[in-house]
Amino acid sequence: MSKLVNWFTSSKQAYTRFIVWFLLVVAVAAYGAALWQSGAKIQSNILAMLPKISEAPLTQKALDSVELRLADQVYIGLVADDKQQAIAAATKLIGQLQQSPEVFTDIRSGDSQHMQALSQYYFDKRFFLLTDKQHKLLADSENSDQWQQLLLAAQQQLYSSFGYASSALLAQDPLLLFPDNVMALAPSNQLTSEQNILLGEYQNSSDAKTTDTKTNAAKTNATKATTTVVTKSTAIVIAKGVRSAFNPDGQAQQIAVLTDAFSSINALYPDIDVLKAGTLFHAQAATETAKLEVSTIGGLSLIGVMLLVWFSFRSLMPLSLALLTLSNGFLFAVVATLSIFGELHLLTLVFGTSLIGVAIDYSFHFYCEKLLHKTHSATDVIKRITPAMTLALLTSAIAFIAIGFTPFPGMQQVAIFCAAGLLGAYLTLVLAYPLLANHKLPASSRILLKAENYLLWLSTKFSASQNSRDMKLALMSLAMVLFTALGLSKLTNNDDIRNLQQSPASITAEENKLRQVLSGGTDNQFILVSADSEQALLTELASASAMLTSAVEAQELSSFVSLSRYLPSAESQNRNYLAYQHLYQQHLDEIIDQLGLDESIKVDLLSSLTQSKDDLITPDEVLKIAGKDLASLWIQTDDSANTRAGTIADTRTGIRTDSSSEQFGSIILLGGIKDLNALNARVTQSGLSVQLVDKVAEISQLMAKFKWITLVLLAMVCAIAVCIFSFKFGIKLAIGIVSIPACSILLTLACLGLAGSPLSLFHALALILVLGIGIDYSLFFASVKSSSPAAASGVMMAVFMSACSTLLAFGLLALSQTNAIHYFGLTLLFGIGFTFLLAPLISINTKKITREVAHYGK
């Protein structure tokens, strides 16, 4: 070990160390290039930063199905005063998008092919279908004449000029019961289909002024504002991106194709407004914001640090070596992250700009020490500062790595990125500086002089008698306690994961308008219904739909989409069949006579009824016809899917039986949730095999849990640090070293409370760095010999420059538009600022404590 230390500190080995450093940098750069060529990528998906929550197999499959259904989907609304113009524009847009099959696929609108196929299928199964109202009227047909209401309705349709009755339909469905069942399938009456284009209505409210003239004693006129609601036709076009919306290349291609298509439509129909919704537009905004912040925040931080170096040392060589240190640190950071994760998130780069403020500390401490010992070689200076720098590296790296123990992949990337970057900067200092930093510095430094004056001022303020000094410390402590108590009393909590990323108001406004057209659309939450068999699931689905209908009536949500509309249970179908059977056996002659139909249809009707007896509606048949959107709402665990071929079905009851343990589920999509708590309570109290799946709430709860765990860990780390430092500095000075960052953390929390920034996991993670960096500052002052005021001034200068660079790096993150980054930066802005102000207090009492430590050592 001693040989290794001598090798690092020997001036004769400067060239050897530089060669080792150079070969190491080349190897890391080559490895990074190889990783990039083999598929490493830049990731912009905000969801990739979220933790993976372990779910039950059926729940996980449901989550995957919903994500697949909504992922990369683009919704376009073309709003026009004239319906035909909206249809024409939508047809044009579909044609434009179909010209780029490598960019968009599954381009559709109101394609009626699936619905027509379903209608034909259901017509063949019409004896198993009745609406609730129809069944209620037929249920008591034996004891009452309520069924005649259906006969009266059929007569009205028969003789109406706008009725849908035809001789062919009457011959097979004389009471015209089937059309009402088809209309019940439509999830929303606000959406229609015309010329294969899905149409909705968009209501645009505008303020208009009307003059209302009133005669009064003064003969004055009063003008009041009224709201005019203009209803416009909106054509909906849906497309799915071939590549992920979070893939930078795919994102750019999709935006380019859509921009060209919109330009073509605006050229033909200048009065048409375009509404957009989908992950693509949120991802584009996030990518642009991240790129802007990486360049802006990183650029400003770098410029600020370079100016700080220049004004401190008035030489190009320190500036050049500072850039070299940062570049090498960034290289190590990127390559380490790509090697471990295979990708680099854009938000990691934004967080990683803070590396500039920490890695540059190595250059600052080197040059501040060299400024005090101008005659010493670079190797001698490094030998003097290596113990403190190594300890600083370890504490900072531990602080960053502690962040990596959170379940958030994004924060794990940030931890590896920053820890590896610090290692790269440290190796540059130890291996490259001995050869490259042997140059002269200016005779004096203004910053060093100001550091000496600042320490002298502090010493003057606290160098009075013991009683006076204690009184000042007591008053300062009391002020800090009162300030902290006031701030903590106003501190609130907010762990909502949606605060991670907020899209621009223009995007969310367009999306809300389009959701209005789509009758609320679908929310992130959904209902999962589960059962052990298909028929049990269909029964549960019907009950769950009835429950949600009550929720809609109670205004807890606006709408829902359930397969229960399309898949009645075998029990319900048999009940409907018996109602048909009884109706035809008892009243078919009367129906034919009252409607004036040919008596020959009786035989065909009874024959069709008998032949349909065992031909039930089955999920397999419906889902094959319905298309992907509906089919994605039906899920099974892998085991049930694998054993499906060996399943035996009773065609009369429709119940599947097999020897394996199968689990079936169905998703009910929810739209326009207005009272999530009330809806959740309704689902919990229903007694059904249903659950409200809310991934957002689950992740938010996990964030809250880890936030408190992080705060508890901070307290434990402080206690452990006191124990470790007491071996070198004694218990009193060890407590003093740790109390500086501990007080800074409390003051930071108080400032967050007064600033109205609710406490989140990202604040807590930033406090880890406040502790790590704060301990570094305290250690530097505690390591200074009490008899060396020049050394104390040098440390003060280094800490001042380090704090300035850290505030430039981290403080600028507070300007980020991404809340997670903003919270991180704001916390560090307060924390590092307080640490810088409090750390010099260590040097004031070092002399007294050092004597006590020496006495204790004897």
Side-chain angles (χ1 to χ4, degrees), residues 79-100:
V79 184
D81 295 327
D82 179 61
K83 181 170 66 175
Q84 292 303 317
Q85 190 180 58
I87 292 174
T91 304
K92 173 69 174 176
L93 177 60
I94 291 174
Q96 286 278 106
L97 297 182
Q98 287 175 341
Q99 294 177 13
S100 303

Side-chain angles (χ1 to χ4, degrees), residues 639-640 643-644 647 658-662:
D639 289 341
S640 61
T643 58
R644 193 174 181 83
T647 303
D658 73 305
S659 59
S660 66
S661 177
E662 299 188 56

Side-chain angles (χ1 to χ4, degrees), residues 182-193 199-201 517 519 565:
V182 173
M183 286 188 287
L185 297 178
S188 172
N189 294 327
Q190 297 183 26
L191 297 176
T192 59
S193 180
L199 295 171
E201 292 184 346
V517 176
S519 305
R565 292 189 177 101

Side-chain angles (χ1 to χ4, degrees), residues 771-849:
L771 178 62
I773 297 173
I775 287 178
D776 284 352
Y777 292 172
S778 298
L779 281 173
F780 295 148
F781 279 106
S783 300
V784 176
K785 295 180 180 180
S786 59
S787 60
S788 178
S793 300
V795 169
M796 185 66 218
M797 177 182 175
V799 169
F800 170 75
M801 296 182 66
S802 174
C804 288
S805 63
T806 304
L807 289 174
L808 278 171
F810 287 119
L812 287 173
L813 292 181
L815 302 176
S816 174
Q817 297 180 24
T818 303
N819 282 341
I821 300 175
H822 167 74
Y823 293 156
F824 199 83
L826 185 64
T827 305
L828 285 162
L829 179 65
F830 289 136
I832 300 303
F834 283 122
T835 300
F836 169 70
L837 293 175
L838 296 176
L841 295 177
I842 292 290
S843 65
I844 295 173
N845 295 319
T846 299
K847 183 175 181 179
K848 179 176 179 293
I849 295 175

Side-chain angles (χ1 to χ4, degrees), residues 637-829:
T637 55
D638 292 337
D639 289 341
S640 61
N642 293 335
T643 58
R644 193 174 181 83
T647 303
I648 301 173
D650 183 337
T651 56
R652 184 65 191 91
T653 63
I655 299 176
R656 294 176 176 269
T657 59
D658 73 305
S659 59
S660 66
S661 177
E662 299 188 56
Q663 193 173 18
F664 297 83
S666 181
I667 298 167
I668 300 180
L669 299 177
L670 306 176
I673 297 176
K674 301 174 183 177
D675 191 341
L676 183 59
N677 292 331
L679 180 61
N680 194 21
R682 183 185 294 273
V683 171
T684 304
Q685 298 167 9
S686 66
L688 302 172
S689 296
V690 298
Q691 61 173 312
L692 178 64
V693 180
D694 188 355
K695 189 69 173 287
V696 171
E698 289 182 16
I699 296 176
S700 297
Q701 291 170 4
L702 187 65
M703 287 182 66
K705 175 183 175 181
F706 275 93
K707 176 185 69 180
W708 294 114
I709 289 176
T710 301
L711 294 176
V712 171
L713 285 175
L714 277 174
M716 294 175 60
V717 169
C718 287
I720 293 171
V722 169
C723 295
I724 294 174
F725 295 151
S726 62
F727 288 102
K728 179 176 176 58
F729 300 104
I731 187 65
K732 288 187 177 181
L733 187 54
I735 293 175
I737 291 171
V738 177
S739 66
I740 295 299
C743 290
S744 299
I745 289 173
L746 292 175
L747 291 170
T748 298
L749 291 173
C751 286
L752 293 175
L754 294 173
S757 181
L759 187 64
S760 71
L761 176 62
F762 296 97
H763 293 96
L765 295 176
L767 291 176
I768 295 176
L769 291 185
V770 172
L771 178 62
I773 297 173
I775 287 178
D776 284 352
Y777 292 172
S778 298
L779 281 173
F780 295 148
F781 279 106
S783 300
V784 176
K785 295 180 180 180
S786 59
S787 60
S788 178
S793 300
V795 169
M796 185 66 218
M797 177 182 175
V799 169
F800 170 75
M801 296 182 66
S802 174
C804 288
S805 63
T806 304
L807 289 174
L808 278 171
F810 287 119
L812 287 173
L813 292 181
L815 302 176
S816 174
Q817 297 180 24
T818 303
N819 282 341
I821 300 175
H822 167 74
Y823 293 156
F824 199 83
L826 185 64
T827 305
L828 285 162
L829 179 65

Side-chain angles (χ1 to χ4, degrees), residues 47 74-75 86 132 221 247 281 290 334 404 444 494 532 671 692 714 774:
L47 299 178
V74 174
Y75 300 84
D132 291 339
N221 294 332
N247 180 290
F281 307 106
V334 171
S444 62
N494 189 343
D532 294 330
L692 178 64
L714 277 174

Side-chain angles (χ1 to χ4, degrees), residues 371-671:
L371 199 63
L372 291 173
H373 305 88
K374 297 183 178 64
T375 59
H376 290 200
S377 67
T379 302
D380 293 335
V381 173
I382 289 175
K383 182 178 180 180
R384 295 174 64 92
I385 66 172
T386 293
M389 291 297 97
T390 303
L391 193 59
L393 171 67
L394 291 176
T395 54
S396 297
I398 290 172
F400 279 118
I401 292 172
I403 295 177
F405 282 103
T406 63
F408 287 77
M411 298 312 297
Q412 292 168 1
Q413 277 200 20
V414 171
I416 295 299
F417 186 94
C418 292
L422 288 180
L423 178 61
Y426 176 84
L427 291 176
T428 303
L429 172 73
V430 173
L431 298 177
Y433 274 48
L435 179 65
L436 301 179
N438 278 310
H439 55 86
K440 293 183 178 181
L441 291 177
S444 62
S445 170
R446 292 183 180 180
I447 293 183
L448 181 61
L449 182 61
K450 290 183 181 298
E452 292 175 350
N453 292 336
Y454 179 67
L455 282 178
L456 180 62
W457 177 80
L458 282 179
S459 299
T460 303
K461 291 296 181 182
F462 291 92
S463 63
S465 64
Q466 180 71 30
N467 292 335
S468 176
R469 181 172 59 187
D470 292 344
M471 179 64 69
K472 290 178 181 180
L473 289 173
L475 289 175
M476 186 175 70
S477 299
L478 178 62
M480 289 172 58
V481 169
L482 293 176
F483 178 81
T484 301
L486 177 64
L488 292 179
S489 67
K490 297 180 178 297
L491 188 63
T492 59
N493 293 278
N494 189 343
D495 300 293
D496 195 334
I497 193 65
R498 284 166 290 200
N499 288 328
L500 257 179
Q501 181 76 47
Q502 290 186 344
S503 297
S506 58
I507 293 178
T508 55
E510 279 193 36
E511 189 170 88
N512 290 334
K513 291 177 182 178
L514 199 52
R515 288 171 69 92
Q516 175 190 329
V517 176
L518 295 171
S519 305
T522 56
D523 291 326
N524 294 319
Q525 301 84 1
F526 62 88
I527 299 291
L528 176 62
V529 186
S530 59
D532 294 330
S533 68
E534 284 186 348
Q535 290 305 315
L537 176 61
L538 295 179
T539 302
E540 290 287 304
L541 264 178
S543 300
S545 296
M547 173 194 67
L548 291 176
T549 299
S550 300
V552 171
E553 294 171 354
Q555 296 187 345
E556 294 170 6
L557 75 159
S558 300
S559 61
F560 64 92
V561 178
S562 172
L563 285 177
S564 62
R565 292 189 177 101
Y566 304 89
L567 296 173
S569 66
E571 180 184 358
S572 173
Q573 293 181 63
N574 290 328
R575 186 178 65 243
N576 293 336
Y577 182 85
L578 291 175
Y580 260 109
Q581 189 178 55
H582 182 78
L583 176 69
Y584 279 12
Q585 288 174 352
Q586 299 294 325
H587 305 290
L588 185 55
D589 290 332
E590 183 180 353
I591 293 171
I592 293 174
D593 180 62
Q594 290 291 328
L595 294 176
L597 303 176
D598 192 335
E599 292 185 1
S600 63
I601 68 171
K602 178 179 179 180
V603 176
D604 293 334
L605 284 171
L606 292 174
S607 175
S608 297
L609 178 65
T610 302
Q611 292 175 5
S612 300
K613 184 177 182 181
D614 296 328
D615 194 15
L616 294 176
I617 297 170
T618 64
D620 282 347
E621 293 175 346
V622 172
L623 297 177
K624 285 179 182 178
I625 301 171
K628 291 186 294 184
D629 286 344
L630 284 178
S632 65
L633 301 181
W634 182 272
I635 56 175
Q636 295 173 240
T637 55
D638 292 337
D639 289 341
S640 61
N642 293 335
T643 58
R644 193 174 181 83
T647 303
I648 301 173
D650 183 337
T651 56
R652 184 65 191 91
T653 63
I655 299 176
R656 294 176 176 269
T657 59
D658 73 305
S659 59
S660 66
S661 177
E662 299 188 56
Q663 193 173 18
F664 297 83
S666 181
I667 298 167
I668 300 180
L669 299 177
L670 306 176

